[in-house]
Amino acid sequence: MIVAIDGPAGAGKSTVARRLAERLGYRYLDTGAMYRALTWLAMTRDIDLSAGEKLGALAEENPITLDEGRVWIDDTDVTAAIRKSRIDRVVPVVARHPEVRAIMRTRQRELADVGDAVIEGRDIGTVVCPGADVKIYLNAERQTRAERLNAERQTRAERRLAERPEIGADALATDLRIRDQSDAERMMPAADAVQIDTTELDVEDVVSRIEQLVRERQPA
Ligand code: DC
């Protein structure tokens, strides 16, 4: 079973997808972390972020590994480094290149083919796994999404999955607006996705609702 969870930043995808995967005993794949890791690598190597072909080659030569919540490139653990706000700001520039998306799509499909998974991203239900068994599109009002991202940053820092936040809540809300614009073309819900507005819902309700959809579609 493949469960695709798409939607904009702060809609609740990561929390919902992680908990759902735990409940179902499925793998959890965060495709945004793969784009972030490539962005980190390109910045570390001083590669021009407008050079799509070079970035595609970089992605091909440096497979990214997702392992129990940690993100690796070769033997470097980049889990915390990819959550910095300077990565937030430029990752849409990297993710926009067709050469990059083609490599990521192939790699993400290989990961999906391994077995049951909850896959979080922007284009999972539309492009990466159009045949996914369950497709969900999560959304929420922008103010709520900014507040959630802010809370998530604190939690990640406490769990040592990220460094201390370098910018405040207002700057983060501005960054989010800019990111929404850059990501907009990849954010279309699949025609057959179940759309859930999570503004007024709590995580457990959303997870339970999706879990029910998965159980209904699981082979007897
Ligand atoms: O979900 P996130 O904020 O960690 O994603 C980081 C960036 O990667 C975001 O700008 C959108 C992009 N992305 C994408 O283009 N396609 C995906 N499947 C996942 C993320």
Side-chain angles (χ1 to χ4, degrees):
M1 292 283 286
I2 295 294
V3 184
I5 304 203
D6 290 307
K13 299 189 304 287
S14 303
T15 318
V16 165
R18 209 177 296 117
R19 289 206 199 162
L20 180 70
E22 267 168 30
R23 277 206 209 169
L24 295 167
Y26 290 6
R27 288 169 305 140
Y28 161 60
L29 303 175
D30 174 3
T31 60
M34 298 170 76
Y35 286 97
R36 286 170 178 275
L38 178 65
T39 304
W40 175 86
L41 186 64
M43 288 175 85
T44 306
R45 300 214 182 151
D46 239 350
I47 291 174
D48 176 5
L49 300 186
S50 65
E53 234 171 84
K54 273 193 198 158
L55 293 169
L58 189 70
E60 189 151 36
E61 286 156 17
N62 296 278
I64 292 147
T65 311
L66 303 175
D67 181 27
E68 303 200 353
R70 304 214 77 88
V71 185
W72 298 81
I73 300 182
D74 298 323
D75 45 14
T76 307
D77 181 346
V78 295
T79 314
I82 64 170
R83 301 290 162 191
K84 297 198 103 180
S85 40
R86 68 191 173 98
I87 301 281
D88 288 348
R89 288 190 194 122
V90 293
V91 61
V93 178
V94 171
R96 195 179 298 140
H97 297 293
E99 296 91 340
V100 167
R101 302 201 71 78
I103 303 291
M104 292 293 184
R105 185 174 60 228
T106 305
R107 177 77 180 125
Q108 288 160 10
R109 283 185 183 158
E110 283 166 8
L111 292 170
D113 282 347
V114 173
D116 297 333
V118 178
I119 312 183
E120 172 200 334
R122 298 289 194 288
D123 59 346
I124 307 305
T126 47
V127 176
V128 178
C129 300
D133 303 278
V134 175
K135 296 183 190 178
I136 306 293
Y137 190 87
L138 296 185
N139 210 342
E141 283 166 15
R142 190 183 287 137
Q143 183 58 32
T144 306
R145 292 193 287 116
E147 284 161 15
R148 285 182 188 158
L149 286 176
N150 198 28
E152 188 184 297
R153 291 190 309 173
Q154 312 286 349
T155 313
R156 278 188 198 274
E158 278 153 26
R159 291 169 58 212
R160 299 188 165 279
L161 292 170
E163 289 161 30
R164 289 260 146 226
E166 323 96 282
I167 59 167
D170 289 348
L172 187 133
T174 306
D175 280 4
L176 182 62
R177 194 167 52 244
I178 297 167
R179 267 170 81 191
D180 278 0
Q181 282 159 2
S182 327
D183 288 340
E185 69 263 31
R186 292 186 296 280
M187 276 198 213
M188 298 303 292
D192 51 349
V194 174
Q195 298 196 40
I196 305 177
D197 185 324
T198 66
T199 310
E200 305 284 345
L201 299 177
D202 56 65
V203 174
E204 286 310 311
D205 291 340
V206 181
V207 174
S208 298
R209 207 168 139 190
I210 305 173
E211 185 184 8
Q212 197 183 336
L213 290 172
V214 175
R215 303 268 182 223
E216 282 165 11
R217 289 179 207 181
Q218 267 169 340

